[in-house]
Amino acid sequence: MGEISITKLLVVAALVVLLFGTKKLRTLGGDLGAAIKGFKKAMNDDENAAKTTAANDATGERIAHKE
């Protein structure tokens, strides 16, 4: 089996295109891209929510210490 050469990769790519067709592969690629974008957006939203919560907690602590 050994190493993977460019020729082997091209043969595998050609077989995948023949089996699934270009339209199905294009749709699959679009769906995968949309899923990755959604995941990144959710991660950023979660980080922003955590930062906002931490900032609100810090403000609440400062107000509590003033009293």
Side-chain angles (χ1 to χ4, degrees), residues 3-14:
E3 59 190 69
I4 298 174
S5 66
I6 190 74
T7 308
K8 291 178 184 177
L9 289 175
L10 290 174
V11 169
V12 169

Side-chain angles (χ1 to χ4, degrees), residues 41-54:
K41 183 176 184 278
M43 290 298 291
N44 287 335
D45 289 348
D46 190 37
E47 287 177 8
N48 290 338
K51 287 178 184 176
T52 303
T53 303

Side-chain angles (χ1 to χ4, degrees), residues 21-43:
T22 56
K23 186 175 181 181
K24 195 168 191 175
L25 289 175
R26 192 175 317 129
T27 303
L28 179 65
D31 291 345
L32 182 62
I36 291 171
K37 284 181 185 177
F39 179 75
K40 285 182 180 179
K41 183 176 184 278
M43 290 298 291

